Every structure is written in structure tokens, then in C-alpha cells.
Amino acid sequence: MRYGIFSDVHANLDAFESVIDAMEKENIDEYLCLGDTVGYGAQPSECIAKVRNLNATALCGNHDLAAIERLNIEFFNFYARRASYWTRDNLTNSDITYLESLNFVEHYDNFAIVHSTIYCPEEFNYILTLEDAEINFSVLDKPICFMAHSHVPVSFFDTDPITYNTEPEIKLEPGQKYLINVGSVGQPRDGDPRSAYAVYDTEQQRVWIRRVEYDIESAMNKILDADLPDILAHRLKEGK
Ligand code: ZN
């Protein structure tokens, strides 16, 4: 079984189409979307349609919740808040019903998927430090948890002490637990502007973090033309 796992599309259709093209060459059996399909970018409705079209099992991220008015966005920064109001105005009723149907966590035989943390998924905290990883390992009852939210691909290992790395290939060892951040399709923040996604092959017991180029100028122009905050366009080029 091969899973194509992606997250944080953030209404960036140009990026998402490149990732879909790349995933279609990977013999993927099932697609998993870890949330934040909307927010920031200029094509939220088109991106939701693509997720549905892939028949992906999708989760609800904080920006998805904000767009359907189920999250208090008082703590969002100014740009995220403006983008959130813009997104609300640019979703169809069907998009809203779809986002409302999504869960925070899904469980599979030997892994779980979540947008933010397995410890408390509805609070949308980050897993950034070894301490964050430790709390999450303590409640993870599967070998692997795929997560996202920070837009930075990284893998944590429940070694003693806990370790992490940003290698593009993870060889899964029996008895070991993993927290694997799959990065972001539509707004990478690790300094590499290319879209990120992951492939998990259950037979080979390997995970790969892939990066693909996309037409960044096109995505930027759509954000600028939509009258979304300029910074949301410019950050795409920087990958942060
Ligand atoms: Zn996000």
C-alpha cells in the first residue's frame, strides 16, 4: 500500500496541481490530506474540489475551521485574519458543508494522521521542540503519526533521548515510534519554496518527503489580483 500524504495546500492551486501531477506518477493507492486546504491563497474552492476529486481522506485544519466560522480568529495575525474573511466570502455552500464534515484525527492500523498534535488536536499547538515531541509520543499508541501545521518537514524519533532530522527518506524500524511532519503544499516555510508532500510505502516501510517545483509567479499574481495581503504572495517566493 502506498499513501500520498499532503497538507497545508492553503488555496494555492498552482502548487497543488504540481503535487497532484507528481503523486500520480508514484502509484499512490490512497490520498490523505492533513488539513488547511484553504486560507492565505486565492483559489480555496478549486483546491477543495481537487481534494474531493482525489477521494482523499481529509482532516480539518485551523484555517479550514476559521473559514467556516468555527474558530475564534482573534489570535490570528492581521494577514491571516484578512485572508480568513476573504476565504469565507469565496467558498460555496457545498465547500462549507464539506469542511464541516472533516475530523481532527483519523486512525489507521499502524498510524494516525492529525493536522497539529495528537496530544490535543483541537487546540492547534505545534510540534517544534523535543519537549513537544515527547508529550506527543506519550499519547501516541501507533508506530507513526503524520502531522503538519508548521509548514516545515521534520521527523522526530522516540529514541532515548528523542532525536529528529530533516532527511528526505525515513526507514521505519520495528519497535520505534515516529512523528513525521509532511510539510506544506501551498506555503512552505523552511526556506525552500518548492511544494512538499510525503509518500508512505507500507511494504517497504519507508517514508519519503518529496519536493516539487510549481509556477510560483502564477500563484503570486492570483493573490495580488484577489486583493489579498501582498505579503501572502511575496512569502511564496522566499519559502517562509
Ligand atoms: Zn497551515
Side-chain angles (χ1 to χ4, degrees):
M1 185 85 172
R2 274 167 83 85
Y3 292 95
I5 312 172
F6 59 92
S7 190
D8 295 83
V9 170
H10 282 295
N12 184 341
L13 184 66
D14 295 281
F16 195 21
E17 283 179 335
S18 283
V19 166
I20 292 170
D21 285 349
M23 288 194 299
E24 279 173 350
K25 295 178 189 127
E26 299 247 26
N27 299 316
I28 301 298
D29 299 297
E30 192 173 334
Y31 292 99
L32 307 175
C33 168
L34 308 194
D36 276 6
T37 301
V38 306
Y40 294 132
Q43 294 181 285
S45 207
E46 293 87 338
C47 289
I48 290 173
K50 292 274 180 197
V51 172
R52 298 179 77 169
N53 201 38
L54 287 173
N55 225 346
T57 299
L59 301 175
C60 194
N62 49 321
H63 287 263
D64 304 317
L65 266 196
I68 56 173
E69 300 184 53
R70 291 200 178 178
L71 186 80
N72 180 355
I73 59 171
E74 189 180 316
F75 299 107
F76 271 27
N77 68 43
F78 173 74
Y79 308 108
R81 226 169 32 235
R82 253 192 72 193
S84 185
Y85 292 132
W86 185 96
T87 302
R88 285 178 190 180
D89 291 339
N90 284 276
L91 292 178
T92 65
N93 286 337
S94 162
D95 295 334
I96 292 166
T97 308
Y98 174 71
L99 293 178
E100 284 172 348
S101 74
L102 306 179
N103 296 326
F104 293 128
V105 190
E106 296 284 353
H107 295 277
Y108 292 78
D109 274 358
N110 71 327
F111 68 94
I113 57 173
V114 66
H115 183 69
S116 58
T117 72
I118 195 81
Y119 176 69
C120 197
E122 66 277 16
E123 282 190 2
F124 297 106
N125 295 316
Y126 293 91
I127 304 177
L128 300 174
T129 66
L130 298 176
E131 288 74 23
D132 300 334
E134 187 172 12
I135 295 166
N136 282 278
F137 277 129
S138 74
V139 294
L140 178 63
D141 58 2
K142 305 270 161 85
I144 317 163
C145 176
F146 292 100
M147 44 91 180
H149 192 37
S150 69
H151 303 202
V152 175
V154 58
S155 304
F156 293 95
F157 312 92
D158 79 329
T159 44
D160 188 16
I162 290 169
T163 51
Y164 72 96
N165 72 39
T166 54
E167 297 296 319
E169 179 172 319
I170 303 121
K171 168 106 183 69
L172 304 165
E173 305 289 350
Q176 174 104 47
K177 287 205 262 185
Y178 301 84
L179 295 165
I180 300 175
N181 191 315
V182 301
S184 167
V185 171
Q187 197 196 75
R189 292 183 192 157
D190 62 342
D192 181 345
R194 295 174 302 165
S195 295
Y197 68 96
V199 175
Y200 170 34
D201 188 310
T202 58
E203 254 128 71
Q204 294 190 51
Q205 280 301 302
R206 267 170 223 265
V207 176
W208 296 272
I209 304 293
R210 311 279 203 215
R211 303 303 288 255
V212 288
E213 292 187 359
Y214 73 95
D215 190 343
I216 295 179
E217 293 292 330
S218 169
M220 288 175 67
N221 287 333
K222 287 172 189 165
I223 289 172
L224 298 172
D225 291 346
D227 217 14
L228 281 157
D230 290 9
I231 189 175
L232 299 177
H234 299 305
R235 69 186 302 174
L236 296 181
K237 214 156 47 181
E238 322 274 308
K240 60 186 183 193

